[in-house]
Amino acid sequence: MTRGQDSRLSPSHFMRHLRPECYSDSADRVSYLLDAKMLEYCLESITSRNEMHDFEIFCRKLCERMICPNLKPSTGPEGGGDSKADAETYPVAEEIAEHTYIGNVAAGQERWAFAFSAKKKWAEKVRNDAAGIVATQRGYKKIICVTAQFAPAKKRAQLEDELSRLYGIIVTILDRSWIVDKVIDHDHRDLAYHYLHVGQEVADSR
């Protein structure tokens, strides 16, 4: 405390020290306002706003919460760099992986590749990403492609089966419907707010 500063304890602080059980120690919480239509519009216009890099970071953060937390980004002049994948898993000790409350324990031991894209021609992009990832010959056990576009269930399933048979690796495609479901219905709006810059942050008075 600097010289001249009042060293006396205020009445409120004095009572908090004297009777802490009578005062709340809860901190203010923050909530986020975002609906499905606003999020869908944001995903639809990513390429026109040149926010592909932000979308890749958002997808990686969402996959860390919903699929596996042990993801590392791939760096390079463009998405994926020389590794052809935008993110991939890194090994985690089995004792640690078993205590993870979300995701698949196998992700701690297997090498998975992730590809993120907002391109309109999502099927063509998935084919190219899968081919590039397999060509690295890094022994990936699973390829997960996340697209900002709507992918019809029938066409998505056919493409997954085709690529899985072709490369002998499980290929999973997650589209805009999956993103909206996880962000809105599973309440991960904070990710959309911080990384896609959509929605509104409000103080939760509860």
Side-chain angles (χ1 to χ4, degrees), residues 128-139:
N128 293 337
D129 286 338
I133 290 172
V134 172
T136 62
Q137 298 183 348
R138 292 192 176 95

Side-chain angles (χ1 to χ4, degrees), residues 120 122-123 147 149-160 173 175-177:
K120 300 293 183 181
W122 64 270
T147 173
Q149 305 301 321
F150 282 120
K154 183 177 181 180
K155 185 175 182 179
R156 185 174 71 247
Q158 290 175 344
L159 186 56
E160 288 176 338
I173 303 171
D175 70 342
R176 187 186 303 176
S177 299

